[in-house]
């Protein structure tokens, strides 16, 4: 049996070390490039717009329509879907009623997690609308508007629709859905958030 040539062994070991080095640092470099280019896997993207900075409503207790205060910390681990329609008079009653129905469907599709979701309607309800049991109607005020980023801008985006926001269990507004949003997008994001929180 012949002994291997020490030069060949060293050369082979160097090549293996170089391959391992390239494999390890090449994958780190590729991950860094993807991360800083903004690419994310399709399944991890939010459907709504991630807000930066978040809206902060922790220090504000809005008033419920039927009296009393709505406090963010009274229901721990509860996510909120908040909507503040511009008007729900006779001219927009149909759009508001459709929005109420869409929110009710989203809430029902949460299944066993539905009890961890509150639907907040800020402002007047459409005339003659059937109010879903999960709906909490709040009186609009400036502190609520301030906690819902770009609430005033919503009117210029889509004249036929209203925006929606997702508020986390602590009172931070984290996601915004532009007027005319797809309720399925809201449901997808909410289902993902309920799983991790």
């Amino acid at each position: 049996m012949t002994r291997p040539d020490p030069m060949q062994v060293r050369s082979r070991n160097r090549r293996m070390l170089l391959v391992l080095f390239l494999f390890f640092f090449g994958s780190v470099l590729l991950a860094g490039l993807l991360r800083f280019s903004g690419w994310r896997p399709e399944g991890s993207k939010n459907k709504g717009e991630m807000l930066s900075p978040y809206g902060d409503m922790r220090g504000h207790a809005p008033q419920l329509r039927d009296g009393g205060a709505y406090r963010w910390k009274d229901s721990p681990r509860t996510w909120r879907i908040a909507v503040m329609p511009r008007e729900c008079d006779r001219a927009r009653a149909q759009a508001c009623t459709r929005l109420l129905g869409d929110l009710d469907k989203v809430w029902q599709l949460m299944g066993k997690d539905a009890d961890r979701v509150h639907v907040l309607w800020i402002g007047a309800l459409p005339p003659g609308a059937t109010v879903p049991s999960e709906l909490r109607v709040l009186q609009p005020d400036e502190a609520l508007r301030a906690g819902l980023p770009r609430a005033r801008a919503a009117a210029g985006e889509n004249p036929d629709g209203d925006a929606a926001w997702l508020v986390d269990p602590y009172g931070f507004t984290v996601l915004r859905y532009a007027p005319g949003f797809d309720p399925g997008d809201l449901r997808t994001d909410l289902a993902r958030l309920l799983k991790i929180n």
Side-chain angles (χ1 to χ4, degrees):
M1 189 167 123
T2 60
R3 299 180 84 189
D5 181 18
M7 290 297 281
Q8 288 179 334
V9 171
R10 267 192 239 127
S11 176
R12 189 178 69 218
N13 287 344
R14 281 189 196 132
R15 282 194 303 266
M16 279 300 283
L17 186 61
L18 183 61
V19 166
L20 288 172
F21 181 84
L22 288 173
F23 181 74
F24 178 76
F25 286 105
S27 61
V28 170
L29 180 64
L30 179 62
L33 287 172
L34 290 173
R35 166 72 175 96
F36 292 112
S37 71
W39 180 85
R40 295 177 72 186
E42 192 59 39
S44 67
K45 289 182 182 177
N46 299 319
K47 305 288 185 178
E49 171 195 354
M50 181 68 79
L51 296 170
S52 181
Y54 298 144
D56 186 355
M57 294 193 276
R58 292 173 300 164
H60 178 60
Q63 295 300 305
L64 292 160
R65 177 184 65 174
D66 53 1
Y70 182 86
R71 290 181 182 81
W72 306 107
K73 292 184 181 179
D74 284 355
S75 301
R77 298 183 63 225
T78 300
W79 285 83
R80 284 86 175 185
I81 302 169
V83 293
M84 188 174 1
R86 294 184 303 279
E87 292 291 328
C88 281
D89 54 12
R90 289 183 190 266
R92 292 200 69 244
Q94 188 176 2
C96 289
T97 302
R98 186 173 49 250
L99 178 60
L100 266 174
D102 288 343
L103 295 174
D104 185 43
K105 281 182 208 160
V106 169
W107 183 81
Q108 288 183 30
L109 288 170
M110 290 298 103
K112 65 179 177 55
D113 290 323
D115 60 340
R116 293 181 45 215
V117 178
H118 288 177
V119 179
L120 307 179
W121 186 277
I122 304 163
L125 289 163
T130 304
V131 179
S133 61
E134 73 276 3
L135 196 73
R136 285 146 175 90
V137 182
L138 304 178
Q139 300 291 343
D141 61 41
E142 285 307 311
L144 273 173
R145 280 188 186 86
L148 300 173
R150 296 202 335 271
R152 294 190 192 279
E157 289 177 294
N158 181 342
D160 298 325
D162 292 293
W165 293 264
L166 271 181
V167 182
D168 78 4
Y170 306 101
F172 289 106
T173 310
V174 294
L175 289 170
R176 179 180 184 270
Y177 299 84
F181 67 93
D182 180 353
D185 291 347
L186 174 62
R187 183 205 168 278
T188 299
D189 285 346
L190 186 55
R192 187 179 301 135
L193 291 167
L194 286 167
K195 281 180 189 172
I196 61 174
N197 188 312

